[in-house]
Amino acid sequence: MKYLKKLFALTTTLALVSALTACGGGEAAPAEEGDAASADVVYRTLDEIKESGTINIGVFSDKNPFGYVDENGEYQGYDVYFANRIGEDLGVDVNFVSTEAANRIEYLQTGKVDVILANFTVTAERAEEVDFALPYMNVALGVVSPESNVITSLDDLSSEDEIIVISGTTAETYLTENYPDIKLQKYDSYATAKNALENGNGVAWANDNTEVIAFALQNEGYEVGIPTLGSQDTIAPAVSKGNSSLLDWLNDEIVALGEEQFFHADYEATLVDTYGLDYEDSLVVEGGVTGNE
């Protein structure tokens, strides 16, 4: 009798585990031996996205002109223009998911989005947690400050000066690693960082040079005293680690779009009013091929 009870309990447990496994959504990314974190990453394959009829793409909602919500509640901007073309060529609807810099990786790893298109700068550290597709834009860091006190060199800052950064950005990482003595004011969104600068809460704001140049052009009384800080980097789409089917499709898509000069058209539709034509060729990457290759 004791044996039968144990057998029944074991059978019930196995049945329950099987049922729970069958009900699980998405696909678990394959984990390497000893890599517990990878086992928790979930994603939808290319076929699953197509079957669902919708792709979830993470974009900024407050970073004009790259990703923002207009007065009609519609997503607009350089990244959004690209996202819409992805949906069109996949034959699915695009569900835009508003993201902030600090949660881009989290949104991929938890399956909240399938793709991140939110000015995501490619770095070696990030590439350990997500898979980057081919690049579609060049970027460096820059520093904007009030015209009354233009910051042209970080070496000139006093011990009391503070630089505004956004958490989870390459600006935060770069300054922490290369200027550990500089005090940082950290904010979660572009809107709060801009407000902080406008309210005089910091002497300058360090961010992608495309963003700070746009801010200075759109707001009187500010100047980009440091247009290039650190190395020249690229911006690329990102997918969950291990999602090879979606990554391969995105790479093929970027190469194909390069043949029609899609990203130049994207720039002229969304960025030219901010930057003019002078920046176009230096910022745009076509077909995933940068000038360094």
Side-chain angles (χ1 to χ4, degrees):
M1 181 63 71
K2 289 183 179 180
Y3 170 77
L4 290 176
K5 287 182 179 179
K6 289 182 180 180
L7 180 62
F8 176 78
L10 177 61
T11 303
T12 302
T13 300
L14 290 174
L16 178 59
V17 170
S18 177
L20 289 173
T21 302
C23 293
E27 178 179 333
E32 296 182 1
E33 186 175 350
D35 187 358
S38 296
D40 296 330
V41 177
V42 294
Y43 57 74
R44 298 193 302 164
T45 65
L46 181 66
D47 287 341
E48 288 173 330
I49 291 169
K50 288 181 177 180
E51 290 171 6
S52 75
T54 301
I55 185 168
N56 301 313
I57 299 182
V59 296
F60 288 125
S61 60
D62 62 353
K63 191 177 181 182
N64 186 350
F66 297 96
Y68 65 99
V69 177
D70 66 16
E71 63 275 10
N72 298 316
E74 300 291 331
Y75 279 90
Q76 304 289 351
Y78 186 76
D79 291 338
V80 174
Y81 190 101
F82 179 25
N84 282 325
R85 180 59 183 268
I86 288 174
E88 177 183 337
D89 290 349
L90 264 180
V92 299
D93 295 329
V94 177
N95 174 43
F96 290 108
V97 179
S98 176
T99 185
E100 294 178 353
N103 59 26
R104 289 174 294 194
I105 292 175
E106 174 195 343
Y107 276 21
L108 283 173
Q109 292 179 335
T110 58
K112 188 168 185 176
V113 299
D114 302 304
V115 180
I116 283 289
L117 287 182
N119 276 110
F120 210 9
T121 303
V122 179
T123 69
E125 294 79 13
R126 288 170 176 170
E128 294 178 357
E129 299 188 82
V130 301
D131 284 338
F132 284 104
L134 293 171
Y136 61 96
M137 195 171 193
N138 290 313
V139 69
L141 297 178
V143 179
V144 62
S145 49
E147 289 180 347
S148 59
N149 181 30
V150 179
I151 304 300
T152 59
S153 172
L154 295 181
D155 295 327
D156 296 336
L157 296 180
S158 73
S159 59
E160 301 302 318
D161 292 331
E162 297 185 359
I163 297 289
I164 296 167
V165 296
I166 299 168
S167 298
T169 61
T170 50
E172 178 192 15
T173 302
Y174 177 84
L175 292 177
T176 299
E177 293 178 351
N178 295 279
Y179 294 89
D181 294 332
I182 292 180
K183 296 179 181 178
L184 302 181
Q185 283 190 29
K186 302 179 183 182
Y187 296 90
D188 290 332
S189 69
Y190 287 88
T192 54
K194 291 174 182 178
N195 288 338
L197 181 64
E198 291 169 343
N199 293 331
N201 292 339
V203 297
W205 175 26
N207 201 51
D208 290 352
N209 61 353
T210 52
E211 176 66 13
V212 296
I213 290 170
F215 178 84
L217 290 172
Q218 295 169 348
N219 297 271
E220 291 185 8
Y222 296 91
E223 183 176 331
V224 179
I226 306 176
T228 302
L229 183 67
S231 61
Q232 181 77 32
D233 295 312
T234 57
I235 289 173
V239 302
S240 296
K241 199 74 175 173
N243 195 353
S244 58
S245 62
L246 182 55
L247 180 68
D248 292 344
W249 185 91
L250 281 172
N251 284 333
D252 290 341
E253 174 79 346
I254 290 170
V255 171
L257 291 177
E259 296 176 359
E260 64 179 72
Q261 295 291 290
F262 170 83
F263 292 102
H264 278 80
D266 187 351
Y267 180 100
E268 291 167 13
T270 61
L271 301 185
V272 72
D273 288 345
T274 299
Y275 299 105
L277 295 174
D278 291 342
Y279 287 98
E280 183 171 0
D281 288 334
S282 62
L283 291 177
V284 171
V285 174
E286 291 286 5
V289 180
T290 67
N292 297 327
E293 297 179 28

